[in-house]
Amino acid sequence: MVDEAACRKSKMTQPLIIANWKMNPPDSKEAFDLASEIKKGIEGLEVEVVLCPPFVYIPQLLPAKTLLIGAQDCSWEQEGPFTGEISPQMLKNLGCTHVILGHSERRQLGETLEMVNKKAKAALAVGLLPVVCIGEEIEKEMNIVSRDIKNLILAYEPSWAISTSGGRAVSPEDMGNVAALMKRFIPSDTPILYGGSVDSNNVKSFLGPDLAQGVLVGAASLNAKEFIQLVKIAAMQ
Ligand code: 13P
């Protein structure tokens, strides 16, 4: 069953900025301080910001009302004998709104497109918004991950563009071409984000009606000053 209210897509009037903290920072005090500084720095801005910390920090960050909290992965099962897994229902019960799925760093660990499709359906079934990462083989990936699903948020994030793998951001022209290609598979109001080496210097170039409606940020989201600056620039779009 899909929770229609919770599954309504982000209003595309405001850019959506998702911070993927990956396996950082190393302790909970640092995580709390980082979230608190970001929260203070972005108050009042016309933008939707979702922090996706490691699972273990989620409960302590949820009271930060200005920020939405998401997870970096979830199971396709809601409960049961699945050692080490975290279910969409558990994340929803905590108060999470979004979940990143199919990140290239998880796909390198063996996650398949079919698994991503099942996870996205399980997330939607409890009213969590799946943010599905799409990389290099766009048509093939879109065909499988979006099969039988309407309410996705998509992130174009080729693995070669990720900063920690020595990457460089795609050009805005490429982003526009990819967005047009993705739209052949999905309803026209599906939000499309861009991820890969996004920072405060380049964020503006990816945002626009025919480009991306938001960004998925890795390394730059771990530096409060840089991330706040990035969000401020995005909010001026
Ligand atoms: P960077 O912003 O560090 O390139 O990371 C992108 C990413 O993997 C976000 O999911």
Side-chain angles (χ1 to χ4, degrees):
M1 196 196 59
V2 174
D3 176 342
E4 289 297 339
C7 287
R8 80 180 178 276
K9 292 185 213 61
S10 292
K11 288 187 220 89
M12 292 177 53
T13 50
Q14 289 189 351
L16 174 61
I17 313 294
I18 301 190
N20 179 6
W21 284 2
K22 309 192 179 186
M23 201 167 69
N24 301 292
D27 76 73
S28 62
K29 167 140 183 13
E30 253 185 83
F32 186 80
D33 290 348
L34 178 58
S36 305
E37 197 175 339
I38 291 171
K39 172 178 157 15
K40 235 186 283 157
I42 65 163
E43 242 151 14
L45 296 176
E46 301 275 304
V47 66
E48 192 165 54
V49 175
V50 185
L51 296 189
C52 298
F55 288 125
V56 290
Y57 301 147
I58 290 174
Q60 83 183 89
L61 300 189
L62 275 163
K65 293 274 184 265
T66 334
L67 302 163
L68 298 174
I69 302 292
Q72 299 173 18
D73 184 33
C74 68
S75 172
W76 59 79
E77 300 285 353
Q78 302 296 357
E79 61 176 320
F82 306 101
T83 303
E85 293 291 292
I86 304 281
S87 78
Q89 186 68 68
M90 291 170 183
L91 296 171
K92 178 69 181 174
N93 291 347
L94 276 180
C96 289
T97 51
H98 294 69
V99 59
I100 298 170
L101 295 175
H103 192 282
S104 58
E105 289 155 9
R106 296 207 54 79
R107 301 265 301 281
Q108 279 156 20
L109 295 173
E111 188 160 299
T112 65
L113 297 170
E114 282 75 13
M115 288 156 88
V116 177
N117 172 272
K118 280 166 68 174
K119 289 179 176 195
K121 284 179 183 158
L124 285 165
V126 297
L128 270 183
L129 287 166
V131 180
V132 175
C133 301
I134 297 291
E136 291 86 323
E137 294 184 283
I138 295 160
E139 296 189 40
K140 177 181 165 200
E141 293 177 48
M142 289 296 298
N143 255 324
I144 299 175
V145 300
S146 66
R147 190 189 300 139
D148 308 323
I149 301 181
K150 287 199 195 78
N151 289 313
L152 289 177
I153 296 172
L154 293 166
Y156 173 51
E157 185 173 270
S159 56
W160 50 260
I162 294 177
S163 66
T164 42
S165 58
R168 57 182 169 76
V170 308
S171 69
E173 291 72 26
D174 285 348
M175 180 63 232
N177 291 337
V178 169
L181 177 57
M182 282 177 160
K183 282 181 180 146
R184 302 221 301 254
F185 297 84
I186 46 173
S188 60
D189 60 347
T190 303
I192 296 177
L193 314 182
Y194 168 68
S197 301
V198 178
D199 59 28
S200 60
N201 292 316
N202 64 15
V203 61
K204 200 171 161 203
S205 67
F206 300 114
L207 299 175
D210 296 325
L211 300 170
Q213 288 74 59
V215 284
L216 178 56
V217 186
S221 70
L222 293 165
N223 175 325
K225 282 191 180 50
E226 166 64 8
F227 187 62
I228 291 164
Q229 179 65 6
L230 183 160
V231 174
K232 283 183 177 164
I233 291 170
M236 290 188 300
Q237 268 302 115

